[in-house]
Amino acid sequence: MSPDIIIIGAGIGGATLASALAPSGARVLILERGEALKDCPEARDPEAIFRHGYFRPDEMWVDAAGGRFNPGNYYHPGGNSKFYGAVLMRYREVDFAPLRHMEGLTPGWPFAYQNLERYYSMAEALYQVRGAADQDPTEPPRSAPLPFPPVPDEPTITALRRAFQAQGLHPAALPLGVDIGTWLQGGATTWDAFPNTRGGKMDAETCALAEALKYPNVTLMTGARVTRLLAANRKVTGVELTHQAQRLTLSAPLICLCAGAVVSAALLLASADSASPAGLANSSDQVGRNFMNHNLSAVIGFNPLRRNTSVYAKTIQLNDWYLTGGQGGTPLGNIQMLGRVTGPILAAESGLPRRLAGFIADHSVHMMTMSEDLPKPESRVIWRGGQIHLQWERSNMAAHGLLSQRLKTALRRAGWPIVFTKEFGKRTPSHQCGTCRMGADPRGSVVDPDLKAHDFDNLYIADASVLPTSAAVNPSLTIAALALRLGAHLTERRAA
Ligand SMILES: Cc1cc2nc3c(=O)[nH]c(=O)nc-3n(C[C@H](O)[C@H](O)[C@H](O)COP(=O)(O)OP(=O)(O)OC[C@H]3O[C@@H](n4cnc5c(N)ncnc54)[C@H](O)[C@@H]3O)c2cc1C
């Protein structure tokens, strides 16, 4: 039976969109490059994950200097969310308007926060978010409470929360898609960067895809790697893919591209033809541009006389400097706990000897600063010689440095006197976004505010690539809210 809608990719965008379309009765075919992640001993083995890159894909990308690297970009039903930290957080209301930062102005969104609010609530219900929205002064207005109470702080984190409060700061529960009891039954580790193979983490496969596949009109085809889109007369007419060593071409009246920010842009560029020599949907020359990935640093507060007894740790955040705090009251960003960094993780990430790393990890608290990466056309994905080239140009690093400095001071005051910071490297584009940005003006954007490609009548994009700004919050809930909004739009479009 031929599908009404083809969705390419079963990650946060694609699986959430499928869950929204399923009740409409439309025949939805999801093409997913990867196979389902199976449980194995390595799933809870920090050496396998952090030292040996056991789950990294068999793929190389090329960086701006021409160096080849193995990216931490994961291909399975559920996409990168199989490994994510499950922080499911709304953009702040001001993030939708143009914002002045220390190093420039962000463009703003083509619509206001209020336009997405109800879809945020739906996404929080779908991903069963735990949290306490009233604890954070930057929390935007909401029409529904969070569905579950927060994941409990462990004693070391309770003490840290109190020490921050004593400084007049406002630590708040992280909104999390984690059922902590179930997660810990699978092993005593954090969930951040560990794959979800034993349950307990609410990811795109376990929540959205599972919901979509309850409907007989939704079909998932795994091991289906899309290689090219075919187009004619403002329509995508075919989707070329490889499946079980065979080349196939499939078609449907509506095509939704949800392969993740880097791959979706690369696919459009790789689909160049004589009518679109610069790539499909690229009359604006914006496909692949404005790549953003957040400025992230690990900030570790060490005290040889104190022990961190936590197992998962990732339960609090600080937004005291989110909106102001930089020069002239400019935004600095979000601070949140990292998942518990243990000795094997620290040794693998830092190169320190194992025993020393173990001592430091057990006598420190581990946090992350996250600042907005501003969109720049020169920061981009390029498809060249059959390969992905990722030329990420960081921006707004002065604000990021200041945010890390603020956290350093707060950690010292909280009783963790020696503080180390380390920027996250470029090998893991974990918060990748922006490469097919949404906008009202077809000259400056790839998709319109309904996520339809300006250049095509039947091509939609619903993944991190459409985000016009990265804000300074984890992206998944916003991608999911946009996908639910698109699901409602397509259901209406088909009914009409
Ligand atoms: C270690 C880690 C921690 C993170 N922590 C958080 C967090 O705490 N909170 C948060 O909000 N975000 C977090 N993220 C980011 C989050 O996972 C992504 O923002 C989110 O998954 C992006 O959704 P997406 O739909 O754009 O892409 P993805 O979810 O990655 O989905 C893309 C899908 O397309 C498939 N695909 C790719 N190419 C093809 C092809 N050619 N043919 C067919 N299918 C294809 C992929 O296999 C995948 O299933 C984290 C990411 C990582 C790696």
Side-chain angles (χ1 to χ4, degrees):
M1 218 187 311
S2 59
D4 300 311
I5 304 174
I6 288 178
I7 296 178
I8 301 168
I12 290 282
T16 307
L17 175 61
S19 76
L21 291 169
S24 74
R27 286 164 305 190
V28 177
L29 173 63
I30 310 170
L31 302 175
E32 165 54 47
R33 167 174 164 170
E35 298 293 348
L37 254 180
K38 292 201 174 68
D39 192 28
C40 55
E42 289 79 7
R44 291 299 183 92
D45 178 353
E47 287 277 334
I49 297 168
F50 293 90
R51 186 176 293 277
H52 303 302
Y54 182 84
F55 293 99
R56 284 188 174 249
D58 180 16
E59 178 172 88
M60 300 298 276
W61 293 356
V62 182
D63 67 18
R68 285 157 54 82
F69 67 102
N70 177 226
N73 196 44
Y74 300 98
Y75 303 104
H76 302 281
N80 282 303
S81 74
K82 293 306 294 177
F83 292 81
Y84 77 164
V87 175
L88 289 163
M89 198 167 160
R90 299 179 178 210
Y91 272 34
R92 286 17 217 162
E93 199 170 1
V94 293
D95 288 322
F96 289 76
L99 257 183
R100 181 157 302 287
H101 288 259
M102 277 170 68
E103 285 180 26
L105 191 69
T106 49
W109 283 46
F111 51 78
Y113 167 79
Q114 283 67 21
N115 197 293
L116 204 55
E117 197 285 328
R118 63 184 285 243
Y119 299 104
Y120 269 130
S121 290
M122 289 163 65
E124 286 165 349
L126 182 63
Y127 286 91
Q128 301 166 38
V129 180
R130 277 85 169 144
D134 56 346
Q135 294 179 2
D136 182 352
T138 66
E139 183 70 21
R142 53 172 49 250
S143 55
L146 284 166
F148 293 95
V151 177
D153 292 345
E154 295 163 287
T156 303
I157 309 307
T158 304
L160 185 62
R161 186 195 274 261
R162 291 202 181 117
F164 284 147
Q165 281 165 339
Q167 298 172 40
L169 300 174
H170 300 84
L174 269 174
L176 290 167
V178 178
D179 169 355
I180 191 62
T182 307
W183 178 265
L184 292 178
Q185 277 167 23
T189 70
T190 186
W191 55 85
D192 197 6
F194 284 74
N196 184 25
T197 58
R198 297 176 193 175
K201 180 149 70 171
M202 310 303 160
D203 62 42
E205 182 192 28
T206 58
C207 290
L209 191 59
E211 181 59 29
L213 292 175
K214 286 180 188 163
Y215 291 79
N217 49 307
V218 179
T219 308
L220 171 69
M221 190 172 175
T222 58
R225 181 176 182 167
V226 173
T227 50
R228 187 180 173 84
L229 305 182
L230 307 174
N233 304 323
R234 286 190 59 85
K235 285 218 152 114
V236 172
T237 52
V239 175
E240 284 189 358
L241 60 136
T242 52
H243 182 244
Q244 297 175 345
Q246 279 196 318
R247 285 171 163 259
L248 303 175
T249 304
L250 301 175
S251 61
L254 293 173
I255 308 292
C256 300
L257 180 56
C258 309
V262 171
V263 176
S264 282
L267 269 174
L268 291 173
L269 296 171
S271 303
D273 59 19
S274 54
S276 306
L280 293 194
N282 198 18
S283 61
S284 60
D285 188 31
Q286 294 300 303
V287 172
R289 295 189 183 274
N290 308 302
F291 174 84
M292 298 168 279
N293 193 32
H294 281 151
N295 300 315
L296 301 169
S297 291
V299 181
I300 295 185
F302 172 59
N303 181 342
L305 305 178
R306 287 180 79 168
R307 265 189 93 83
N308 179 347
T309 58
S310 64
V311 171
Y312 50 88
K314 195 176 178 74
T315 53
I316 62 170
Q317 62 173 332
L318 283 175
N319 284 320
D320 289 89
W321 300 291
Y322 190 88
L323 299 177
T324 56
Q327 284 160 13
T330 47
L332 290 188
N334 165 278
I335 294 171
Q336 58 187 250
M337 300 304 301
L338 282 169
R340 173 69 153 90
V341 176
T342 56
I345 298 175
L346 188 61
E349 294 289 326
S350 66
L352 286 172
R354 285 190 166 98
R355 283 188 63 170
L356 177 61
F359 182 81
I360 294 176
D362 289 344
H363 295 82
S364 53
V365 288
H366 318 107
M367 303 194 76
M368 176 173 90
T369 48
M370 172 161 47
S371 309
E372 181 151 358
D373 189 7
L374 313 182
K376 294 205 300 191
E378 318 80 59
S379 182
R380 63 190 292 204
V381 173
I382 295 171
W383 179 256
R384 187 185 296 144
Q387 260 201 321
I388 289 174
H389 292 241
L390 181 57
Q391 304 193 345
W392 177 26
E393 286 199 18
R394 291 176 191 263
S395 65
N396 208 24
M397 285 304 281
H400 186 59
L402 202 50
L403 183 64
S404 298
Q405 203 54 47
R406 294 269 152 87
L407 176 57
K408 267 186 176 183
T409 306
L411 279 171
R412 287 190 184 118
R413 287 186 186 149
W416 301 94
I418 302 163
V419 186
F420 310 102
T421 57
K422 187 170 185 265
E423 260 172 41
F424 283 29
K426 294 189 172 181
R427 286 176 62 222
T428 300
S430 45
H431 290 185
Q432 57 184 278
C433 63
T435 55
C436 300
R437 73 170 164 189
M438 164 182 28
D441 182 355
R443 289 165 306 178
S445 56
V446 178
V447 295
D448 69 17
D450 288 328
L451 305 186
K452 189 182 75 61
H454 291 295
D455 297 353
F456 289 94
D457 297 328
N458 69 336
L459 174 65
Y460 289 81
I461 307 180
D463 59 21
S465 64
V466 302
L467 299 178
T469 57
S470 63
V473 302
N474 318 59
S476 294
L477 193 75
T478 301
I479 301 165
L482 283 169
L484 292 172
R485 182 172 169 273
L486 174 60
H489 172 76
L490 290 181
T491 303
E492 267 175 33
R493 172 177 164 162
R494 291 188 70 252

